[in-house]
């Protein structure tokens, strides 16, 4: 029997028992749909997190003091001068403040920074301007606000408006473009002022962080190591511990990638269990089919069919059944991924590789679980088979 005839015969046999065929393929459908839906949601979440990390800034490195270390403005200048792979260094001091315009008041985060922040943290100015070097040097009371602060204070503030920050008047010089949220933090709910002004307002000389920007993505690791070495020399600790904690964008993206791969494999494995269960269902249905068609098998053998022809016939039926279920499962998985993504507020990214792997697994399930029923059919004695009613 040629391959085309085997496929045609298998298709006719499956069509003869539509309900049984559907029930046998249902497990494979669910398995394939689960693999595609879960992997698509997992990859979509990874893409979203990666985009958020990348949106924090270009080649961003964040230096955070640990207990017992107090960073100062001089440290930012020192890192910019002593670390050749660092393009910019922005000191930062932050605190919760109350901002008021006429009768509107809003509690937000004030962050004292320098003029290089937009280049390091990827902020864009929508109206007016950002801080300039003279603002920092002269400790001017000027401010740039995010979109959330703008909305909470009436939504129509323009550069030139006077704000009250913790009771102190500040001149609004700029409004930032929308940036969104990163890891649950609203990047638009912020007011930026010169770092020197913020330190005077808060009565401190300490910094909460220093933002560094590596010259290139490939130099991020070198810049991180060099910056840590400089600060170890500046702030030696008797216990031998590092005086700061440094987080680079490269490290975060690497961690996200590792977690994503682990979760994708885990989700794929969980969904793959459904495929195995579906394969067991296919094997049971094929065994029932062999038992019901014993006389047909005997007739085929009597007219010249060889054992390998019978084996091929039932194996093709099993594979066709599994692939049909897999094809339907692909469509169901795509729809499920989109529906779940919309319901959960997540992004679903369909991976062609996931589709190919799922279909390949479905093919393997059809082959593996179809071998035993096909072998049973090929081993029947033609004389005994013809006597079966």
């Amino acid at each position: 029997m040629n391959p085309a005839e085997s496929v045609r015969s298998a298709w006719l046999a499956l069509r003869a028992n539509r309900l049984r065929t559907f029930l046998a393929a249902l497990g494979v459908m669910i398995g394939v749909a689960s693999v595609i839906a879960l992997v698509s949601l997992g990859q979509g979440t990874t893409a979203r997190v990666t985009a958020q990390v990348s949106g924090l800034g270009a080649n961003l490195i964040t230096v955070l003091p640990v207990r017992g270390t107090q960073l100062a403005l001089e440290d930012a200048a020192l890192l910019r001068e002593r670390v050749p792979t660092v393009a910019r260094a922005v000191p930062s001091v932050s605190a919760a403040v109350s901002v008021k315009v006429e009768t509107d008041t809003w509690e937000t985060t004030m962050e004292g920074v320098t003029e290089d922040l937009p280049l390091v943290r990827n902020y864009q100015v929508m109206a007016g301007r950002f801080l300039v070097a003279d603002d920092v040097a002269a400790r001017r009371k000027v401010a740039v606000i995010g979109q959330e602060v703008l909305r909470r204070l009436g939504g129509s503030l323009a550069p030139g408006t006077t704000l009250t920050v913790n009771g102190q008047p500040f001149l609004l010089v700029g409004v930032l473009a929308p940036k969104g949220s990163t890891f649950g933090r609203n990047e638009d709910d912020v007011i930026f002022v010169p770092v020197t002004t913020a330190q005077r307002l808060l009565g401190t000389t300490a910094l909460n962080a220093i933002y560094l920007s590596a010259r290139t993505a490939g130099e991020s690791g070198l810049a991180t190591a060099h910056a840590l070495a400089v600060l170890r020399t500046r702030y030696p600790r008797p216990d031998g511990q590092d005086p700061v904690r440094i987080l680079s964008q490269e490290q975060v993206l690497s961690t996200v990638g590792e977690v994503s791969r682990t979760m994708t494999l885990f989700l794929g494995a969980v969904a793959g269990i459904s495929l195995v269960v579906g394969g067991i269902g296919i094997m049971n249905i094929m065994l029932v089919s062999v038992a019901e068609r014993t006389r047909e098998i005997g007739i085929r053998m009597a007219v010249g069919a060889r054992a390998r022809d019978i084996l091929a016939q039932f194996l093709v039926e099993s594979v066709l059944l599994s692939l049909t279920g897999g094809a339907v499962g692909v469509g169901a998985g795509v729809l499920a991924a989109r529906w779940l993504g919309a319901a959960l507020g997540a992004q679903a990214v369909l991976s062609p590789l996931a589709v190919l792997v799922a279909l390949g697994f479905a093919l393997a399930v059809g082959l593996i679980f179809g071998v035993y029923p096909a072998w049973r059919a090929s081993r029947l004695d033609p004389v005994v088979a013809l006597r079966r009613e």
Side-chain angles (χ1 to χ4, degrees), residues 78-387:
L78 180 67
L79 291 174
R80 188 169 55 248
E81 294 170 3
R82 296 279 300 276
V83 183
T85 51
V86 166
R88 296 176 180 86
V90 176
S92 170
V93 57
S94 59
V97 296
S98 175
V99 183
K100 184 177 181 180
V101 176
E102 296 181 352
T103 59
D104 295 316
T105 303
W106 178 242
E107 301 291 331
T108 186
T109 299
M110 178 187 71
E111 190 166 358
V113 294
T114 60
E115 67 280 1
D116 286 335
L117 182 79
L119 299 173
V120 176
R121 290 279 305 278
N122 198 26
Y123 276 99
Q124 303 293 327
V125 177
M126 185 177 72
R129 64 171 177 85
F130 197 73
L131 308 175
V132 296
D134 286 344
D135 295 331
V136 178
R139 297 182 179 179
R140 291 174 182 160
K141 291 183 178 180
V142 293
V144 180
I145 62 174
Q147 285 291 310
E148 180 67 14
V149 178
L150 175 67
R151 185 176 70 86
R152 297 289 183 172
L153 296 179
S156 59
L157 301 182
T161 304
T162 298
L163 310 173
T164 300
V165 181
N166 278 5
Q168 298 292 320
F170 276 73
L171 179 67
L172 178 65
V173 296
V175 178
L176 299 171
K179 188 174 174 67
S181 297
T182 303
F183 301 122
R185 175 188 173 183
N186 189 349
E187 299 287 340
D188 296 320
D189 191 5
V190 66
I191 173 172
F192 290 115
V193 302
V195 62
T196 49
T197 306
Q199 286 182 324
R200 172 179 287 181
L201 182 64
L202 299 174
T204 182
T205 59
L207 299 178
N208 294 105
I210 298 176
Y211 302 118
L212 306 178
S213 176
R215 292 189 308 183
T216 65
E219 293 177 322
S220 179
L222 182 59
T224 300
H226 197 170
L228 181 57
V230 170
L231 293 175
R232 278 175 177 167
T233 302
R234 181 168 173 80
Y235 298 104
R237 293 175 64 112
D239 57 5
Q241 299 296 316
D242 291 335
V244 295
R245 184 162 55 97
I246 300 183
L247 300 175
S248 71
Q249 196 176 55
E250 183 182 32
Q251 291 171 332
V252 175
L253 289 174
S254 176
T255 302
V256 169
E258 290 178 6
V259 172
S260 170
R261 286 188 291 270
T262 301
M263 288 301 298
T264 300
L265 289 174
F266 174 74
L267 293 174
V270 170
I273 295 174
S274 298
L275 282 172
V276 175
V277 173
I280 295 173
I282 288 176
M283 184 173 66
N284 289 335
I285 292 297
M286 292 303 299
L287 287 172
V288 171
S289 180
V290 170
E292 288 183 350
R293 295 159 62 188
T294 300
R295 186 174 179 81
E296 174 193 332
I297 295 170
I299 294 173
R300 286 179 179 271
M301 287 183 170
V303 297
R306 295 162 295 181
R308 66 183 182 184
D309 295 327
I310 302 298
L311 177 69
Q313 176 190 347
F314 281 90
L315 197 56
V316 168
E317 282 188 31
S318 175
V319 171
L320 187 60
L321 179 60
S322 183
L323 283 179
T324 301
V328 176
V330 168
V334 172
L335 293 177
R338 291 179 178 175
W339 181 81
L340 286 173
L344 299 175
Q347 179 186 9
V349 176
L350 182 62
S351 169
L353 180 60
V355 173
L356 292 177
V357 169
L359 287 176
F361 208 110
L363 174 62
V365 164
L367 285 171
I368 294 171
F369 289 95
V371 166
Y372 179 65
W375 178 81
R376 282 278 300 270
S378 68
R379 301 296 295 175
L380 288 175
D381 188 325
V383 177
V384 175
L386 285 170
R387 288 176 179 173

